[in-house]
């Protein structure tokens, strides 16, 4: 059983300010001394990283498509353990789903699974009394949903605020705060930097989150919001655990596994490090942008999907580390690269030399490839045995030529095989969630402990 005060913050659609408000709420409550935890619905590791920065503990994604709807509540219970307040930041509109499965994959579905009240953030810059009709419609659309109130964003004036509050009072919807148009400024590093400013502990990211916290503390009734969060009933689920259910006990020797990241976290989901440690690994952070050598004694490398493509020049300039990564791969040790990690292992990217582990060339193109893929493993690796099916997420601008090696990683309907499996290397732009991949951490640790077989 998990009894954590919680709210889900959502909106009628994207662009209402949910992200900035989520960070501000966590930062404001943390400043008060409340232990807080932050979660993001969907696959967005960047938003999750910033939520973690605001909360002072790892931010996590809750993605029913990637982990299965049945794991959402257990993963939440695991990540929120010990918190006095947990905030779940929604994605898109409250009832929206990219894949057209709102009954199981929308923010509303996650809120229902978590038995959590929803606070709707509404941009009212061009709205008057109609806000009552809008919110009433969202409240009545799904009788299982608990819409606990609203926060108004981009209010024009005190008179405008009074009008809005009166309209919402008529339909019995509480208002927890009202922010003026200038009170949630764009203070965070540019989105193109991805999770790197958080992972690397950049001062700009920390200052931005702190400013959002100050803005929210001055405009939102935090005591009333906490009271709403505390009214959420206990979750009768067992928290997810990284410990193998029926797997072998941890080995006596703990191999060093390098995990790409920085002083404030990694480019992988937080569960990756937890799974590796539970499987018997000593996890050591490797900053691919700054460190010139692998951690001492490293016998495996994991590069998560949160590494941004926009740092290609810095990855290329770090020649000593590129050479060390290539040597690790040639020795047959396990190297798992997701997302932009695949590009780092390539021969070059837009003319810049990379690690040269893969005989492939990357090119950055206009536009993004974004979406989920239900993939089947073509070649067995530490990530998945041949024939296993997983769901992953892709978000990238760069493409690789060739798209796959002689032993591809994945295939899926409507696409040609993708990714590379060669000796101990598994590299692909597809990013799965390891909590949904039974045995991946144990297989990687076992491969790291196996005798080295240097390869020509």
């Amino acid at each position: 059983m998990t009894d954590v005060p919680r709210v889900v913050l959502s909106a009628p659609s994207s662009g209402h300010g949910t992200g900035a408000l989520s960070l501000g709420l966590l930062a404001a409550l943390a400043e008060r001394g409340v232990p807080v935890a932050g979660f993001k619905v969907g696959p967005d590791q960047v938003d999750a990283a910033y939520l973690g920065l605001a909360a002072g503990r790892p931010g996590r994604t809750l993605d029913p498509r990637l982990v299965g709807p049945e794991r959402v509540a257990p993963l939440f219970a695991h990540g929120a353990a010990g918190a006095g307040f947990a905030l779940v930041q929604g994605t898109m509109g409250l009832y929206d789903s990219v894949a057209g499965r709102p009954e199981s994959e929308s923010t509303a579905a996650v809120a229902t699974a978590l038995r959590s009240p929803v606070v709707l953030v509404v941009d009212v810059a061009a709205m008057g009394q109609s806000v009552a009709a809008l919110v009433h419609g969202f409240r009545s659309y799904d009788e299982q949903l608990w819409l606990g109130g609203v926060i108004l964003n981009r209010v024009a004036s005190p008179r405008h605020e009074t009008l809005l509050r009166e309209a919402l009072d008529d339909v019995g919807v509480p208002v927890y705060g009202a922010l003026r148009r200038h009170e949630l400024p764009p203070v965070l590093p540019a989105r193109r930097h991805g999770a790197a400013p958080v992972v690397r502990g950049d001062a700009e990211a920390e200052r931005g989150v702190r400013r959002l916290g100050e803005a929210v503390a001055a405009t939102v009734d935090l005591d009333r919001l906490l009271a709403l969060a505390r009214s959420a009933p206990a979750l009768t689920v067992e928290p997810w655990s990284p410990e193998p259910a029926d797997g072998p006990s941890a080995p006596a020797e703990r191999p060093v596994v390098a995990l790409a990241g920085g002083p404030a976290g990694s480019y992988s989901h937080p569960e990756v490090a937890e799974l590796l440690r539970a499987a018997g690994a000593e996890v050591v952070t490797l900053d691919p942008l700054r460190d010139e050598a692998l951690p001492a004694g490293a016998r495996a490398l994991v590069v998560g999907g949160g590494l941004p493509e926009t740092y290609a020049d810095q990855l290329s300039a770090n020649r000593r580390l590129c050479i060390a990564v290539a040597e690790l791969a040639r020795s047959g040790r396990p190297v798992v690269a997701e997302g932009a990690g695949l590009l780092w292992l390539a021969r070059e990217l837009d003319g810049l030399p990379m690690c040269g582990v893969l005989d492939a060339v990357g090119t950055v193109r206009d536009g993004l490839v974004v979406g989920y893929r239900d993939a089947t493993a073509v070649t067995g690796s530490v990530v998945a045995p041949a024939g296993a099916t997983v769901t992953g997420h892709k978000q990238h601008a760069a493409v690789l030529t060739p798209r796959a090696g002689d032993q591809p990683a994945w295939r899926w309907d409507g696409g040609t095989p993708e990714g590379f499996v060669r000796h101990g290397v598994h590299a692909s732009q597809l990013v799965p969630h390891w909590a949904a991949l039974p045995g991946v951490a144990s297989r990687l640790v076992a491969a790291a402990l196996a005798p080295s077989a240097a390869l020509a």
Side-chain angles (χ1 to χ4, degrees), residues 2-9 37-42 60-64 67-80 86-90 103-104 106-118 144-146 228-229 231-239:
T2 299
D3 192 5
V4 176
R6 58 196 179 275
V7 297
V8 172
L9 208 64
F39 301 83
K40 170 66 178 179
V41 177
R60 300 172 189 264
T61 61
L62 296 174
D63 192 326
V67 303
E70 73 283 355
R71 289 192 182 92
V72 167
L75 283 167
F76 169 84
H78 168 73
L87 183 142
V88 180
Q89 178 190 334
E103 70 285 349
S104 60
S106 64
T107 298
V110 170
T112 300
L114 298 180
R115 305 181 70 191
S116 172
V118 174
Q144 295 187 62
L145 186 84
W146 176 8
L228 174 68
S231 69
L235 284 174
T236 55
V237 297
E238 286 296 319

Side-chain angles (χ1 to χ4, degrees), residues 34-359:
V34 178
V36 295
F39 301 83
K40 170 66 178 179
V41 177
D44 193 333
Q45 290 180 251
V46 178
D47 281 356
Y50 277 94
L51 292 169
L53 173 60
R57 67 159 73 186
R60 300 172 189 264
T61 61
L62 296 174
D63 192 326
R65 185 71 183 274
L66 289 184
V67 303
E70 73 283 355
R71 289 192 182 92
V72 167
L75 283 167
F76 169 84
H78 168 73
F85 174 84
L87 183 142
V88 180
Q89 178 190 334
T91 184
M92 302 183 294
L94 177 59
Y95 295 107
D96 295 333
S97 163
V98 171
R101 303 173 183 174
E103 70 285 349
S104 60
E105 297 178 8
S106 64
T107 298
V110 170
T112 300
L114 298 180
R115 305 181 70 191
S116 172
V118 174
V119 173
L120 202 66
V121 180
V122 185
D123 184 333
V124 293
M127 191 178 300
Q129 288 92 340
S130 295
V131 69
L134 174 73
V135 174
H136 174 69
F138 270 81
R139 180 179 59 182
S140 59
Y141 182 78
D142 182 355
E143 62 182 17
Q144 295 187 62
L145 186 84
W146 176 8
L147 202 155
V150 300
I151 296 175
L152 306 174
N153 190 22
R154 299 186 70 211
V155 177
S157 65
R159 181 174 177 274
H160 187 207
E161 180 180 341
T162 298
L163 180 152
L164 296 164
R165 286 181 178 272
E166 289 177 349
L168 289 163
D169 185 60
D170 286 344
V171 293
V173 175
V175 177
Y176 292 99
L179 292 94
R180 299 292 185 263
R181 300 185 186 210
H182 63 280
E183 287 176 332
L184 286 180
V187 292
L188 298 178
R191 181 77 182 186
R192 67 177 181 275
H193 296 302
V198 176
V199 169
R200 300 175 68 182
D202 289 0
E204 181 186 0
E206 294 174 356
R207 282 195 303 268
V209 169
R210 187 168 59 250
R211 285 186 61 189
L212 292 174
E214 292 166 353
V216 167
T219 54
V220 175
D221 190 334
L222 297 177
D223 290 326
R224 287 180 67 212
L225 194 66
L226 275 173
L228 174 68
R230 289 168 180 154
S231 69
L235 284 174
T236 55
V237 297
E238 286 296 319
W240 175 84
S241 172
E243 299 293 336
D246 301 310
S249 58
E253 181 183 357
R254 298 182 66 84
V256 173
V257 175
L259 184 64
S266 79
Y267 293 112
S268 301
H269 296 104
E271 292 83 0
V272 169
E274 294 166 352
L275 284 162
L276 287 169
R277 292 189 183 103
E282 178 185 348
V283 179
V284 180
T285 300
L286 167 74
D287 189 340
L289 305 176
R290 293 174 177 162
D291 294 337
E292 295 187 352
L294 292 166
R299 302 178 75 165
L301 169 64
V302 177
V303 186
L307 180 68
E309 295 177 318
T310 48
Y311 286 80
D313 54 346
Q314 291 176 251
L315 291 169
S316 175
N318 194 350
R319 297 313 306 157
R320 289 185 178 178
L321 183 59
C322 285
I323 292 169
V325 170
E327 290 176 350
L328 183 72
R330 277 196 294 269
S331 74
R333 296 295 184 196
V335 176
V336 176
E338 302 168 346
L342 168 71
L343 306 173
W344 188 35
L345 297 189
R347 193 169 68 244
E348 63 180 53
L349 175 59
D350 280 346
L352 297 172
M354 292 292 166
C355 293
V357 173
L358 309 174
D359 188 15

